[in-house]
Amino acid sequence: MVLVFKTNVNTISKVKKVSPKLNRLFPKTKWNFDLEDCDNILRFETENNIIKEIIILMKITGFECEAL
């Protein structure tokens, strides 16, 4: 399944801040940010419904995150 989120991660330095946490907590997923999109999209490819976990992690890290 593909999960899509609107975020306020709009620079490479912000991606670098959250990347280690995403990789550590969700090691079996593929994810990427689309910084050229007006909503700074975060996409996850996963077999599990981890929407709540992603939103919580992003907020703990200091970012806004909303499922689309």
Side-chain angles (χ1 to χ4, degrees):
M1 94 179 33
V2 177
L3 307 176
V4 182
F5 301 87
K6 176 181 177 178
T7 74
N8 66 338
V9 176
N10 56 3
T11 65
I12 294 296
S13 63
K14 290 179 180 178
V15 172
K16 288 180 181 179
K17 179 180 177 183
V18 75
S19 293
K21 293 174 177 133
L22 291 173
N23 288 331
R24 186 171 42 251
L25 288 175
F26 308 109
K28 296 181 181 182
T29 63
K30 292 182 183 180
W31 59 267
N32 65 59
F33 283 95
D34 183 353
L35 301 181
E36 294 182 14
D37 186 277
C38 65
D39 289 328
N40 301 305
I41 295 295
L42 168 59
R43 284 186 189 84
F44 262 85
E45 291 181 38
T46 180
E47 294 180 9
N48 303 310
N49 186 349
I50 54 173
I51 292 172
K52 290 179 185 178
E53 291 89 343
I54 293 168
I55 291 172
I56 290 169
L57 171 67
M58 293 295 288
K59 290 186 178 189
I60 288 172
T61 309
F63 297 108
E64 297 173 13
C65 184
E66 173 186 339
L68 298 178

